[in-house]
Amino acid sequence: MPTTVTSDDRPTATALRQQEREVLSAVGCGLGDEEIAAALAVPEDTVAEHLARILAKLGLRDRAAAIVHAFDCGLVAPGQGPRPARPASRTAAVPVAGATPALRVSLLGPLRAWRDGRVLDLGHQRQQTVLAVLALGLGRPLTRRELLDDVWGLEQPAANVVPVYVYRLRKALGDGGGPAPVIEHGPRGYRLAPGAVDVDVARVEELVAGIGEAERADDPAEAVRLCSRVLELFRGEPLAGLPGPLAELERLRLTERRIAVVRRKARWQLRLGRDAEAIAELFALSAEHPLNEPSAAMLMRALQRDGRQAEALAVFERARRSLSDDLGVAPSGVLRRAHQMILRGDEAGPDLGPA
């Protein structure tokens, strides 16, 4: 699935009508057109027409970009999955100030958990996915039905396996016989005990908020430092190998989040005059995601700014061939505009905006 990121100055969801916003929210939750039509009580053709208008209004290339946009503009919250939105506690599973939980869970790569530095055996993949969904909930209780939908989707198990998997996970994550389980069960469902687990996805969100503060304070060095800390948390493809609809959706969202941070870091590196570092990171990003047009366009403009026009044009040609061979499409406007800028010899400013 292509991971296309749109430009930072694209229109927001406020440009959409109410039903278009509802469709975008449902797409962000991973629902198909048939499911959206049933939820909104409209024909399936109407859903397709709404989606086409959404992509056109917001300048998005495909459904994958629409999923990411739904998260970024707040229509869908991380870990909510394909179900009605409810207020999420984004800090409940985050460590309290001054405390260092003995248990750490990492989702930004193959799922891993450590207690006091010791790697834990989390069992088979479906059981691991139950833990991943609870960790993505960031402390929000999840009902048995929500766990079944997020972990199994349409392939529901015949037996009531959720309590079994939770029991096994409690044993795997156990705190050495302490009275309070890591996974709590109450009237509203299951959740990770508040303050008991350090989840790397929660730390990413905290650091991204810090990046925004550094940018507002016009502190590029701090912004680059915090971007580097975010990127250090990624150990490969997020939730690598885990099955289930929520894992698939979060893989896409978290991959897009990493791409956005790399580009954000490069922009500030260029402001600091660290062009060689920025270009190296953008080259690596384009190699990992050859279909990501904004990343290729940013690399082209950085190379043009560095006086490397021939290399910039070569980046365009590689991206054009990849799009044609893999997707059967021509370059979008963002890539064509960068190409024309280079052919005209226009200069890009520190933020890599077109001249």
Side-chain angles (χ1 to χ4, degrees), residues 102-103 115-116 118 170-182 196:
L103 179 62
R115 178 173 287 283
D116 296 322
R118 178 174 58 87
R170 281 173 173 162
K171 290 186 65 177
L173 302 173
D175 56 4
V182 172

Side-chain angles (χ1 to χ4, degrees), residues 86-349:
R86 297 187 300 184
S89 172
R90 290 181 172 273
T91 59
V94 181
V96 296
T100 303
L103 179 62
R104 294 191 296 123
V105 173
S106 173
L107 308 173
L108 301 175
L111 179 66
R112 294 287 185 273
W114 300 264
R115 178 173 287 283
D116 296 322
R118 178 174 58 87
V119 179
L120 304 177
D121 181 2
L122 302 174
H124 56 75
Q125 283 190 331
R126 196 72 72 171
Q127 183 170 297
Q128 291 181 33
T129 307
V130 172
L131 175 60
V133 171
L134 291 169
L136 287 166
L138 300 181
R140 184 173 65 86
L142 300 173
T143 66
R144 174 180 168 275
R145 170 51 53 193
E146 288 171 330
L147 285 168
L148 287 170
D149 290 343
D150 286 346
V151 178
W152 284 270
L154 298 178
E155 301 176 358
Q156 301 279 312
N160 183 17
V161 297
V162 169
V164 176
Y165 287 177
V166 168
Y167 170 76
R168 292 175 181 171
L169 286 170
R170 281 173 173 162
K171 290 186 65 177
L173 302 173
D175 56 4
V182 172
I183 302 176
E184 297 180 340
H185 185 214
R188 296 173 57 195
Y190 297 94
R191 68 171 182 172
L192 294 183
V197 187
D198 176 14
V199 181
D200 57 0
V201 171
R203 279 193 282 149
V204 164
E205 298 305 327
E206 290 180 332
L207 289 168
V208 168
I211 294 169
E213 292 175 4
E215 290 174 341
R216 287 188 291 275
D218 197 24
D219 188 348
E222 178 66 4
V224 169
R225 187 186 72 83
L226 292 175
C227 285
S228 297
R229 286 188 59 190
V230 170
L231 298 174
E232 288 168 0
L233 293 173
F234 284 83
R235 301 175 294 102
E237 181 184 49
L239 304 164
L242 292 189
L246 184 62
E248 182 177 352
L249 177 63
E250 288 291 303
R251 256 192 300 274
L252 172 62
R253 184 187 72 84
L254 293 169
T255 297
E256 295 288 359
R257 181 66 73 210
R258 177 181 176 274
I259 291 171
V261 172
V262 173
R263 293 176 56 210
R264 209 166 175 176
K265 179 182 178 182
R267 184 175 291 111
W268 285 106
Q269 285 174 319
L270 291 163
R271 287 282 297 273
L272 291 168
R274 293 158 58 176
D275 293 27
E277 296 176 32
I279 289 171
E281 297 209 31
L282 289 170
F283 259 123
L285 183 64
S286 291
E288 292 175 38
H289 304 280
L291 301 179
N292 189 283
E293 295 173 78
S295 299
M298 190 175 186
L299 174 58
M300 290 164 60
R301 294 195 296 270
L303 289 168
Q304 167 76 350
R305 163 187 154 122
D306 204 40
R308 298 156 67 177
Q309 184 183 45
E311 291 180 72
L313 293 174
V315 170
F316 174 81
E317 185 57 28
R318 283 197 299 272
R320 186 195 63 77
R321 285 200 305 268
S322 294
L323 290 165
S324 176
D325 294 346
D326 295 354
L327 301 180
V329 299
S332 69
V334 66
L335 208 54
R336 292 197 307 270
R337 285 191 294 273
H339 186 231
Q340 289 299 316
M341 185 199 79
I342 292 165
L343 292 177
R344 291 194 305 266
D346 295 342
E347 293 186 2

Side-chain angles (χ1 to χ4, degrees), residues 15-40:
L16 303 178
R17 296 177 178 176
Q18 178 59 33
Q19 193 161 77
E20 290 170 345
R21 286 170 60 84
E22 293 172 353
V23 169
L24 179 58
S25 176
V27 168
C29 286
L31 300 181
D33 286 1
E34 183 178 353
E35 296 169 294
I36 299 171
L40 300 182

